[in-house]
Amino acid sequence: MLPAITVAALVSGAAAAAVGSTPARTPTLSVTATGMHGRHFYPRERVRMTLILQIRETRQVRTTATGSFDLPLPAAYDRCTEALTITAVGARGDSARIKVPKRACPPA
């Protein structure tokens, strides 16, 4: 029974790839000092970003022809006092999530 399930999964995966319903790579998110960066989404796709700090904020962005985007961090975000959770969901269903813990900054 196990080989039949494996073959069925491979056939359905190949069919989905042939139709183009899955991105070439897994979408990723990263956070740097300058902002949030998304890669490997579908080209020119609308992506809904949900940012959770002390409040929940939603933004929408459209990816470039290469499937990437860059956004600035919220002005209210302080790395030393707040954790940050970002979820990006594309219009075609691809998604990525990242959690950024608060830093252990030295006292001022």
Side-chain angles (χ1 to χ4, degrees):
M1 189 73 171
L2 185 61
I5 293 171
T6 305
V7 171
L10 289 175
V11 170
S12 67
V19 175
S21 62
T22 57
R25 298 182 219 169
T26 303
T28 59
L29 284 174
S30 61
V31 176
T32 63
T34 59
M36 303 170 280
H37 312 284
R39 303 287 180 263
H40 310 301
F41 285 84
Y42 284 103
R44 295 182 179 86
E45 179 181 35
R46 190 183 70 238
V47 177
R48 187 184 72 236
M49 306 281 297
T50 303
L51 297 91
I52 301 173
L53 300 145
Q54 291 179 353
I55 61 168
R56 177 183 222 122
E57 181 179 334
T58 303
R59 299 181 183 181
Q60 287 195 5
V61 64
R62 187 164 298 273
T63 62
T64 64
T66 60
S68 63
F69 63 85
D70 298 312
L71 284 174
L73 288 170
Y77 176 58
D78 181 8
R79 305 172 160 205
C80 296
T81 61
E82 295 179 291
L84 174 65
T85 301
I86 305 169
T87 305
V89 179
R92 296 184 186 176
D94 47 345
S95 64
R97 182 179 177 146
I98 187 169
K99 292 182 178 182
V100 181
K102 64 180 175 180
R103 290 184 165 184
C105 297

